[in-house]
Amino acid sequence: MASIMNTTNHAPASPAADYAQGAAYVGGRYVPIGEASIPITDWGFLRSDATYDVVTVWDGAFFRLAEHLQRFRASCARFRLDPGLTDAQISGILARCVRLSGLRAAYVEMIVTRGQPPWGSRDPRQAVNRFYAFAVPYVWIANEAQRARGLDLRISGVQRIPSASVDARAKNYHWNDLTMGLLGALDAGADTVVLTDGAGHVVEGPGFNVFCVNAEGVIVTPAAGVLEGVTRRTVIEMAQALGLPLQARALPAAELRGAREAFLSSSGGGVLPVTRVDGVPLGDGRVGPITQRLVQTYWDWHRDPRLSTAVDDVLQASP
Ligand code: PLP
C-alpha cells in the first residue's frame, strides 16, 4: 500500500494509516474512515444542503457505476450543486477509496455539499461546493435472518416530505420524516417502515423503494414522490427480461396490505423480501416465488459485464 497515490493532483494517502474499516476522501486527501471529518460550518452539515449517491462494489467490481454517476449529476443539477470534477475523476477517487480499504464488497458514497459562503454572506451562490467520498464495508438494509424470513414492514402515518418541497428524485439528506417513521415502526416491533404521501399512497422508506405483487399478480411500484432508485430500475429491467407484468403508478396502502408478495429495493442489499405488512402476513407468510426469482436474478446480473466495472479497471483508466 506504500506507493498508493490518489488520482487527482492532491496529496497522497498516508501509507501508515489503517484503512481496514474504510477509506475517505476529504479536503483533497485520503484518510482512514475514522479520521474523516468535515468543517462544522459547511452547509452540508448545518442545513442538510447536499446531495449524494451510493454505488456498491461486489466481488471487486462496481455495480452500475455509470447509472449512479448519471443520477448523481442529475441530483447536483436539481440542487444547483457542482462537484467540480469529471465523471472519470470521481470514478478514480471512488476506486482509490475502495482500493485503500482493501474491501471486495463495499458501500461507496459520493457527496457534494454547498460548502460555506464567505463570512458575512448568506448567499448560497457564493459558496464553494465541496466534494467528499468514502468506501466502507457493504451495508445490508436487512440482516441475514431478516432476509431469510422476510421483513415486517410498517406503513407509517408520517407523511414523506412532498416532492414539491424537496425533490425526491434528487438524493438528499432530508431524512427526519424517514427517521421518525422508522423509530415508530421499531418501537411497534416491526423491522422497517414505508412512508405515505398524504393521499393514502405509499412512497418509499429509509434507503429503499417499495414493490408489491398485487392480488392480480402484477408487480406494482410507486411512480412519483420517490427517488428513482438504481435498484428499482434494475427490478423493472429484470421484470421485463423475465416477462413479469409490472406497473409504475400510485400504490394505495390498501393494495400493499392486500398483496400476495412485497419486497424492497436498495443498493443496500438488492431485492429484500417483505412477508408482513403492519404485522399481518402476506399470503402464506413466506417469501414469495416472484420475490425469490428477483433476488436470484439480481445477484446473477452482477456477473453481467455490461453492468459491472472492475475497480482495478477504473484505477488503470484513472488520470
Ligand atoms: N429511496 C431512498 C429515500 C433512498 O435513500 C434510497 C437509497 O439510498 C433508495 C430509495 C434506493 O435507491 P437505490 O436503489 O439507488 O439504492
Side-chain angles (χ1 to χ4, degrees):
M1 220 175 253
S3 64
I4 288 175
M5 298 289 290
N6 70 22
T7 56
T8 62
N9 292 326
H10 303 291
S14 157
D18 174 16
Y19 291 96
Q21 298 304 311
Y25 178 83
V26 175
R29 291 184 61 84
Y30 294 92
V31 293
I33 193 73
E35 294 173 21
S37 60
I38 62 162
I40 199 167
T41 53
D42 188 327
W43 281 19
F45 173 66
L46 293 178
R47 301 191 178 171
S48 299
D49 192 349
T51 190
Y52 73 110
D53 216 286
V54 173
V55 58
T56 53
V57 167
W58 193 254
D59 202 15
F62 289 105
F63 187 60
R64 311 204 78 163
L65 178 60
E67 287 82 352
H68 284 281
L69 288 170
Q70 195 182 31
R71 185 176 64 184
F72 185 53
R73 291 266 170 222
S75 298
C76 287
R78 289 198 168 104
F79 287 164
R80 297 178 61 179
L81 291 163
D82 181 3
L85 296 164
T86 65
D87 281 2
Q89 286 173 318
I90 294 174
S91 304
I93 290 168
L94 302 181
R96 183 62 63 196
C97 288
V98 177
R99 169 53 61 82
L100 279 166
S101 72
L103 293 164
R104 298 280 300 164
Y107 176 99
V108 186
E109 185 153 337
M110 61 201 99
I111 306 160
V112 181
T113 63
R114 185 71 59 197
Q116 176 202 311
W119 291 117
S121 167
R122 290 170 73 85
D123 182 345
R125 295 169 302 181
Q126 294 180 344
V128 178
N129 300 166
R130 292 169 182 261
F131 179 82
Y132 304 95
F134 63 84
V136 292
Y138 190 89
V139 170
W140 293 91
I141 279 191
N143 64 35
E144 207 173 339
Q146 290 172 327
R147 300 199 298 275
R149 69 166 153 76
L151 294 157
D152 181 349
L153 178 70
R154 190 68 38 135
I155 301 177
S156 180
V158 177
Q159 189 185 325
R160 184 78 173 116
I161 298 171
S163 263
S165 302
V166 176
D167 190 340
R169 293 169 304 168
K171 207 162 156 65
N172 64 72
Y173 292 131
H174 296 268
W175 268 51
N176 186 259
D177 51 354
L178 294 167
T179 302
M180 296 315 289
L182 180 59
L183 285 169
L186 293 173
D187 286 349
D191 296 310
T192 192
V193 72
V194 63
L195 268 50
T196 45
D197 65 0
H201 303 119
V202 298
V203 279
E204 60 188 343
F208 53 80
N209 294 108
V210 177
F211 291 76
C212 74
V213 181
N214 72 10
E216 284 78 48
V218 177
I219 305 172
V220 183
T221 192
V226 298
L227 180 74
E228 288 160 349
V230 173
T231 321
R232 174 181 179 274
R233 173 173 168 178
T234 305
V235 169
I236 292 168
E237 291 172 9
M238 291 192 297
Q240 258 163 11
L242 297 171
L244 301 168
L246 184 145
Q247 294 172 359
R249 58 160 167 81
L251 173 56
E255 190 172 358
L256 176 58
R257 286 197 187 91
R260 293 182 194 168
E261 299 182 31
F263 57 89
L264 316 177
S265 71
S266 173
S267 296
V271 177
L272 301 162
V274 170
T275 47
R276 285 173 175 261
V277 174
D278 291 341
V280 179
L282 297 179
D284 64 6
R286 287 193 295 229
V287 178
I290 291 177
T291 306
Q292 284 181 21
R293 233 176 135 194
L294 291 168
V295 171
Q296 183 62 46
T297 309
Y298 178 76
W299 293 108
D300 288 348
W301 279 24
H302 280 64
R303 291 196 298 273
D304 183 337
R306 287 168 301 180
L307 301 180
S308 287
T309 315
V311 173
D312 284 348
D313 289 350
V314 176
L315 285 172
Q316 265 169 24
S318 287

